[in-house]
Amino acid sequence: MNENKYTEETDRMVSDLITNRILRHTLQFFVRGEKRLKPFGSGVFAKIHNDYFILTASHIADFFEKNPDEDLQIRVGEKLFINVLGDIKYTDIEKSEGVDMAYIKLDKQLIEPLAKPYIPLEIDKVRSHHNLFYAMNYCVLGYPEKNITKEKETFNTGASYFLTSASKDNRYQNYKYDKKDYIIVDMAGKGIDIETNEETKVDTRFYGISGCGLWLLLFYKNPITGKDEVDYRLVGIMTEFKKSKYFCLIANKIILLIEALKVIEKYKFREIEVQY
């Protein structure tokens, strides 16, 4: 597996991977507004053993405790939404040294409507990740609140994704994050649009991507075809961003959720030793 330097061919591969896989693992939450539903964060649709989950941030999931008479909803069609139903577990941020992770073990009646527009992430696409890549091997994909049409009662929303690299240690030290539990990735005021290959200004209104995935992109040469290919793993759940001294996005490592599933759900996992 290699750190990546983008070419026209890798741009195409990554764009296809994001459109056909990562985007379809990612969903958006909505809450009831005064006139219509409004965005309320992101999540990752996953299948673990024979159960289905939404993996997200705890400050998204605690909506249910703060608003017991209201629902979070997910879009499953152009004008069709379903209420989130299930068993919700999440960290108390103040008591967990800032760890901001949650899962919703979904009620079985949600599986069929969700499985039509979305693809559940399987456990073999989840990885503990400690040896960080300081090249553009990371993808953040979620639903910023700004990505919504304004003019009509019916509305559309859209995802945004960012390709970036791991941050250096000074980001962890400055913002006081432990590398054992967090992965920080760099952002910049400008970047290259992968579709046009032109430099463009990055919209820094990230509100709404909390709860989405941090994905590790793995580039390799297929030993059978000899062609370059790209694979992916979920390595974190995005929780927040910083724009003061350093501009960066922050994720909790997915291994923290896996460890919670071992304790709470009594799941057992077969761990595979990897070099990345």
Side-chain angles (χ1 to χ4, degrees):
M1 301 297 179
N2 300 315
E3 296 181 356
N4 184 56
K5 293 182 179 179
Y6 283 87
T7 65
E8 184 175 341
E9 177 63 16
T10 54
D11 284 350
R12 181 193 61 77
M13 290 192 304
V14 168
S15 182
D16 288 347
L17 175 70
I18 288 170
T19 300
N20 297 319
R21 304 301 299 184
I22 295 177
L23 179 61
R24 295 193 62 195
H25 296 318
T26 308
L27 49 79
Q28 183 175 26
F29 294 112
F30 295 88
V31 294
R32 184 70 59 183
E34 291 184 6
K35 295 183 178 180
R36 63 181 184 184
L37 295 175
K38 59 183 183 179
F40 191 75
S42 305
V44 177
F45 181 40
K47 181 182 179 183
I48 301 175
H49 295 327
N50 292 318
D51 297 316
Y52 291 81
F53 294 83
I54 297 174
L55 314 179
T56 188
S58 64
H59 72 270
I60 302 296
D62 72 359
F63 170 87
F64 294 98
E65 181 173 328
K66 294 179 178 178
N67 305 274
D69 298 324
E70 299 183 41
D71 294 308
L72 282 181
Q73 300 193 40
I74 299 170
R75 191 176 216 148
V76 293
E78 183 178 356
K79 297 182 180 180
L80 183 61
F81 296 79
I82 58 173
N83 294 342
V84 177
L85 300 173
D87 186 20
I88 304 160
K89 306 290 185 184
Y90 59 91
T91 58
D92 184 326
I93 298 174
E94 293 183 358
K95 296 180 180 179
S96 61
E97 298 182 347
V99 173
D100 185 0
M101 305 188 81
Y103 69 80
I104 304 170
K105 188 176 183 181
L106 295 171
D107 188 285
K108 294 186 184 300
Q109 63 185 297
L110 270 67
I111 308 310
E112 183 177 351
L114 282 176
K116 292 178 180 178
Y118 305 103
I119 300 172
L121 183 75
E122 301 279 355
I123 193 63
D124 65 339
K125 295 296 185 185
V126 177
R127 278 290 184 274
S128 173
H129 180 54
H130 303 290
N131 298 325
L132 301 182
F133 288 173
Y134 297 96
M136 291 183 65
N137 283 69
Y138 298 91
C139 174
V140 177
L141 185 149
Y143 285 88
E145 294 176 3
K146 66 179 179 62
N147 291 3
I148 183 171
T149 56
K150 302 292 185 182
E151 62 274 8
K152 297 180 181 179
E153 183 176 346
T154 57
F155 62 92
N156 290 314
T157 60
S160 294
Y161 68 88
F162 308 91
L163 303 176
T164 185
S165 58
S167 296
K168 296 180 180 179
D169 287 354
N170 57 1
R171 273 67 163 169
Y172 294 86
Q173 295 160 3
N174 183 78
Y175 292 122
K176 296 180 172 57
Y177 287 103
D178 191 334
K179 291 185 74 172
K180 175 176 65 71
D181 296 331
Y182 296 89
I183 299 174
I184 302 178
V185 294
D186 284 340
M187 291 298 296
K190 291 184 178 180
I192 301 298
D193 188 317
I194 194 173
E195 303 295 339
T196 65
N197 204 34
E198 295 179 355
E199 188 174 71
T200 184
K201 185 176 180 180
V202 173
D203 193 321
T204 61
R205 293 174 292 170
F206 294 117
Y207 298 104
I209 70 168
S210 290
C212 78
L214 173 63
W215 306 88
L216 175 65
L217 304 183
L218 299 166
F219 298 85
Y220 64 98
K221 189 174 291 293
N222 188 309
I224 298 175
T225 65
K227 293 183 178 180
D228 291 329
E229 296 186 7
V230 59
D231 202 356
Y232 65 105
R233 299 291 186 272
L234 179 68
V235 296
I237 296 293
M238 304 308 303
T239 60
E240 59 182 315
F241 62 92
K242 300 289 186 181
K243 294 196 295 183
S244 53
K245 183 173 182 179
Y246 301 109
F247 186 12
C248 51
L249 302 177
I250 298 155
N252 275 131
K253 290 184 176 181
I254 195 64
I255 190 61
L256 298 174
L257 263 184
I258 297 301
E259 293 299 328
L261 289 167
K262 289 180 181 179
V263 175
I264 300 171
E265 304 294 337
K266 309 302 181 187
Y267 289 156
K268 293 183 179 180
F269 299 99
R270 183 171 63 90
E271 297 185 18
I272 301 172
E273 186 175 351
V274 294
Q275 301 301 316
Y276 51 89

